[in-house]
Amino acid sequence: MPQPDRSDLFPGALEMMILQTLRRAPLHGYALAQAIKQASDELVHVEEGSLYPALQRMLKSGWLAAEWGVSARNRQVRIYKITAAGRKQLDRKVSAFDRLLSGITKVMRASES
Amino acid sequence: MSRLRWLFRRRHTKDELAREIDAHIAERVDDLIEGGVSPENARTIAMREFGNSTLQIEKSREVWIAPWLTSIWQDLRYAVRSLARQPGFTVTAVGILAVGIGLVTTLFTVINGVFLRPWNARHASSLAIVVQRSATGGVPSGLLTSPEYRYLREHSRSFTHLASWTRGESLIPGEEPVEYGSTATHARSTFVSANYFDTLGIGVQVGRTFREEEENYGTPHAVAIISDRLWRDYFGASEAMLGDAIRVRELPFTVIGVAARDFRGPDIGVPIDLWMPLPSVALLHSATPGNDWLQQLADPTSKQSSVIGRLRPGITRAGAAAELTVLSQQFRTSLSLEPYGISLYDTRLISALSANAGHYRGPLAAVGLIFGALLLVMLLACANTGNLVLARGLSRQREIATRLSLGASRARVVRQLLTESLVIAVAAGAVAVWVASLVPWVFSQGFDKPERFSPDAAVFGFASIMAMIACVISGVTPALWTTKMNLATRANERAGRAGAGRLRTVLLATQLALSMVLLIGAGLLTRTINHVATLDPGFAIHEVQAIGIRLPGGTSAEERAAFARTLRAAVDADDLPAIAFSEFTAITTGHRRSMLRRDGEDPEMDRFIVARPVSANYFSVLGIPFVEGRSLADDERAREVVINQAAARLFWPNGTAVGRRLVGGEEDYPDFHEVVGVVQDVAVTSLTDMQPVVYQPIQSGEMLFVRDLSPTVVDRVTSIASAIEPRVRVASRPLSDDLTAIASSPEFMFARRVAWTIALLALALATVGAFGVFAYMVEERRREIGVRMALGAQARQVVWAVIGGARLPLAFGLGIGLVLSLGAAQMLRSFLFGLSPFDPITYLGIAAILVAAALLATWLPARRATRIDPAITLRGD
């Protein structure tokens, strides 16, 4: 399936951040985007064009569950929360990401020296 | 699952996404306003940030739909469009397949209706047919005795109801003459226990069902329930007739109810119009001597009760059968009778048949053969359509090549082509179901229970499977060929065409071969009629005259016996050639059987032997040679029998039969017969199958045999018979008519008609298919033919060149067809009366028909080829 992910993030990064963010608390789409933005000190900006398809993909994979609820402003919103499968996926992703990152770091250091 | 749900709830989920996105934007707008932006600007900014919301919805939505699903939809739409552009091709292909699928589906509808559907009763699944089987678990004998039925009804706890019925004298419900006022008609009747209607869950539309006290075995009550048909068609549907008496066989029966509208008895077969309480059978059938029904209903050895039960909820058939077996054995042991077991069947005919497969081998084999033949026709239709699809594929080479070169994978293009075949096959399947849905209408024209033949889930399922098979057979090979050719690139076009030509040859040859198999079957069945007349039945059949004497209807058995005795005496006293008597003609499928065992054997060992009552001089008049011993004594009380060699082999495989005794009847009342002679096996019930026969002595009968073909004997016998009874009718014929009668019985005439219909249909399909292929071939070679004509070729040469193309398929088709037919004809053996399945006349005749059909199919396109104008053809390129 083509990834409609147009951001500069590497594949899977958005999902990882969504899972991590939702692990702390269930959130609706807009709040989720804001939470990621704030947590990254505004370094990561989640495009809406990527966010909603990503959420649908993750719903389909069973990593997330969604239900209709009310936002802080008393607006009807769909609230996403992480499932057990989602937590497992997050752990896998994080360890894979750690390995990748340490690999990249080593390469960068080696070429620097 | 959620994906599926998604498909169904598309619109709903689309709304959800839209709402979610609206909420997102609204939240953003609120944030912006809180940050000090003016409301109008905030909206614009939020919208710009978010981008195209419809696109977001679509993209989020796509996540859920598998791409293959969307592309299948694409394929379907493309297939329908492309088929719609060539209506001629589409209609032909669908039509041909619909013939094939329609025929098998129609037959399946009938098979389904007859064998696979339960009875027309409420909750038929909890009904159980109760039959008796022998202690050794042998073939169920079916009927129970009436006292045993009543014992089971009283003691069984497994059933809410246990009903019984009997059909009177014969196994086939008799037609009783019925009168009401000035209306007289005939009605098929059955005698039922009082709880019969309750057991089946069938009510009455007017009046009431039977009361328990109306099943009175001491003094039978003369009450009746009539069918809706009888009530409306003959008695004017008047409620006032309740309580009135109708006259059944001249006896008054009070009408107490009219059965529910579509109820004509539960069993498939003969529709019932008249129900009367079981004991009242004695009122109608007591006139026959030695057949007092009240005695029979009380006799624990006289079996005439069919029994059906309605299982209590939660009770299984196996459990109920176990209980009934125990009860039945209790009952029978208390009367010192052989203990038997009880089996239960569901109400589908197939259940009883599969338990007694041996008894029904004939009809089942016939159904199987017809089904096989129709499957062949369907294959033929598929091959035909396959040819058409291939031809169409060849003419679409450019389109397919373009698609492949633009990057479509071969699999993708094959799938696209298969989708077209699928659309054709499904359309044909739909037509087939429509055709099958006409079956009930056909059955309503003179047959029983049309509702059993309306298409149900089984019929739909069958038609779908057939459509899938048709799609695969007619679609896969052409699709593979067409795309393979394109892969080999257009540069190598010649090789590709040669390959397609080979495939066409194979398909055409298959068609010819299949038609040949079916035509040979039909041909053999027809040749049988001529063949049997030449058969030697083993006695002097061509020198004997048979004289049948018919007494007027209503003559009692005693009167008949008296008449026959007087006739015998008068004939003997007259100066006539020796005259033999029997109750049957010499060769007939209709026969009586006796249960016989060797002296000293257990009744369990009883064998059903064909029994022929004959006079002592029967063997000498008909010329049946004795192998051993002498003929019967001319004395009925002598208790002697003559048996044929087959029977002698059956009972005494080693050693002589003469002087030994055969025994019939129950153990306590044995019935001894001494074997005084053994005659050669001659045709009795069939021309080929020499069954064991026991000839029993009679003094007189209504069939007379004389070894003299002159009419004077008949005249003399006629005058003697008329002198005794003026209303008698005498008919004489050469006994050799028996031979042809057996092969021209309605069943065999029907079988031949069915066989020819199927075979000719197959031939028509093959001819049309061949015609299509050759017409296409001429079209394809237009240019070549044009050049040849321009170079001076004669029309005749062109015609032969085209027809020559049929040589190979014809040769292969006839060759393969011959091999297949030789195998298939073996299956017909039992229907051929000794005609060789390799009858050369049939084979040569059918081969000639096929060659003629192939020539016709190629000649017409060839003629068209000669009309090609070279100038136009060459300019066209």
Side-chain angles (χ1 to χ4, degrees), chain B residues 324-592:
Chain B
L324 288 188
T325 296
V326 170
L327 288 174
S328 160
Q329 287 175 356
Q330 268 173 22
F331 173 79
R332 297 185 68 89
T333 321
S334 71
L335 292 167
S336 316
L337 290 166
E338 189 82 13
Y340 289 140
I342 297 277
S343 290
L344 296 182
Y345 298 126
D346 63 39
T347 56
R348 295 172 310 148
L349 188 55
I350 188 77
S351 314
L353 287 193
S354 49
N356 301 297
H359 278 206
Y360 299 92
R361 200 165 288 147
L364 286 180
V367 170
L369 277 177
I370 297 177
F371 200 71
L374 289 183
L375 275 181
L376 284 188
V377 173
M378 197 192 97
L379 290 183
L380 202 70
C382 292
N384 238 325
T385 311
N387 248 332
L388 282 176
V389 171
L390 181 68
R392 181 161 178 268
L394 292 179
S395 65
R396 283 165 79 193
Q397 272 171 330
R398 199 163 295 163
E399 175 205 332
I400 292 166
T402 312
R403 298 187 65 192
L404 285 171
S405 57
L406 284 179
S409 69
R410 185 179 172 205
R412 186 73 184 68
V413 176
V414 167
R415 208 179 70 198
Q416 170 58 51
L417 292 175
L418 274 183
T419 310
E420 287 180 17
S421 292
L422 183 73
V423 170
I424 293 172
V426 167
V431 175
V433 169
W434 176 75
V435 171
S437 70
L438 300 179
V439 172
W441 178 81
V442 173
F443 271 74
S444 69
Q445 312 296 304
F447 285 94
D448 173 34
K449 302 188 196 313
E451 76 280 355
R452 287 183 68 90
F453 299 98
S454 55
D456 60 358
V459 170
F460 274 103
F462 182 84
S464 311
I465 292 171
M466 288 299 123
M468 290 307 125
I469 292 176
C471 165
V472 169
I473 294 179
S474 68
V476 169
T477 326
L480 290 178
W481 268 105
T482 323
T483 52
K484 185 166 159 196
M485 233 159 54
N486 282 280
L487 283 188
T489 76
R490 309 255 303 160
N492 204 354
E493 190 168 309
R494 192 164 285 276
R497 290 225 165 151
R502 255 198 317 275
L503 178 61
R504 262 198 318 243
T505 303
V506 170
L507 288 173
L508 262 184
T510 315
Q511 296 188 341
L512 285 168
L514 294 182
S515 332
M516 183 166 180
V517 171
L518 294 168
L519 284 169
I520 292 224
L524 284 175
L525 286 177
T526 306
R527 279 270 298 148
T528 303
I529 302 184
N530 301 324
H531 169 73
V532 289
T534 67
L535 278 183
D536 177 15
F539 59 93
I541 194 164
H542 297 287
E543 296 163 31
V544 175
Q545 183 155 224
I547 306 168
I549 302 203
R550 282 245 307 278
L551 288 166
T555 315
S556 78
E558 272 155 357
E559 285 162 347
R560 280 171 195 280
F563 169 81
R565 270 196 305 276
T566 322
L567 178 71
R568 169 81 196 269
V571 164
D572 281 351
D574 206 280
D575 184 23
L576 279 168
I579 289 183
F581 294 84
S582 177
E583 284 177 13
F584 294 92
T585 184
I587 308 174
T588 171
T589 47
H591 52 262
R592 177 190 297 171

Side-chain angles (χ1 to χ4, degrees), chain A residues 1 14-16 18-19 22 26-29 32 50-68 77-87 89, chain B residues 1-6 9 12-14 16-18 20 56-57 59-65:
Chain A
M1 204 182 302
L14 178 60
E15 276 87 353
M16 202 166 73
I18 291 173
L19 287 171
L22 290 180
L27 292 171
H28 57 92
L32 183 63
S50 311
L51 178 66
Y52 283 97
L55 286 172
Q56 294 298 324
R57 272 199 302 279
M58 293 163 79
L59 272 179
K60 188 179 145 193
S61 305
W63 300 338
L64 301 183
E67 57 188 30
W68 286 94
V77 287
R78 193 133 73 143
I79 296 171
Y80 295 88
K81 60 184 175 204
I82 191 165
T83 63
R87 277 201 189 85
Q89 171 68 10
Chain B
M1 187 62 217
S2 66
R3 205 175 309 176
L4 262 186
R5 209 177 57 216
W6 211 96
R9 293 178 46 210
H12 181 64
T13 315
K14 202 167 171 176
E16 280 199 330
L17 273 166
E20 188 173 7
Q56 304 302 333
I57 293 171
K59 271 161 76 184
S60 308
R61 208 161 73 85
E62 267 167 23
V63 168
W64 290 91
I65 309 172

Side-chain angles (χ1 to χ4, degrees), chain A:
Chain A
M1 204 182 302
Q3 297 274 325
D5 198 341
R6 287 185 291 114
S7 72
D8 297 336
L9 296 167
F10 60 87
L14 178 60
E15 276 87 353
M16 202 166 73
M17 289 187 298
I18 291 173
L19 287 171
Q20 180 63 32
T21 312
L22 290 180
R23 185 177 214 162
R24 267 172 257 142
L27 292 171
H28 57 92
Y30 178 73
L32 183 63
Q34 294 301 320
I36 293 176
K37 199 166 153 189
Q38 278 161 21
S40 66
D41 287 342
E42 311 231 348
L43 284 177
V44 178
H45 177 74
V46 181
E47 280 190 42
E48 287 82 354
S50 311
L51 178 66
Y52 283 97
L55 286 172
Q56 294 298 324
R57 272 199 302 279
M58 293 163 79
L59 272 179
K60 188 179 145 193
S61 305
W63 300 338
L64 301 183
E67 57 188 30
W68 286 94
V70 184
S71 74
R73 291 196 180 89
N74 213 15
R75 189 172 274 123
Q76 281 273 323
V77 287
R78 193 133 73 143
I79 296 171
Y80 295 88
K81 60 184 175 204
I82 191 165
T83 63
R87 277 201 189 85
K88 225 175 265 169
Q89 171 68 10
L90 178 61
D91 293 341
R92 267 201 302 277
K93 274 280 170 193
V94 168
S95 61
F97 174 68
D98 282 346
R99 271 203 308 282
L100 178 65
L101 195 60
S102 71
I104 292 172
T105 317
K106 276 177 194 158
V107 171
M108 298 311 282
R109 289 215 179 111
S111 49
E112 258 170 26
S113 60

Side-chain angles (χ1 to χ4, degrees), chain B residues 839-851:
Chain B
D839 179 53
I841 294 179
T842 310
Y843 281 74
L844 287 176
I846 298 305
I849 292 178
L850 281 171
V851 170

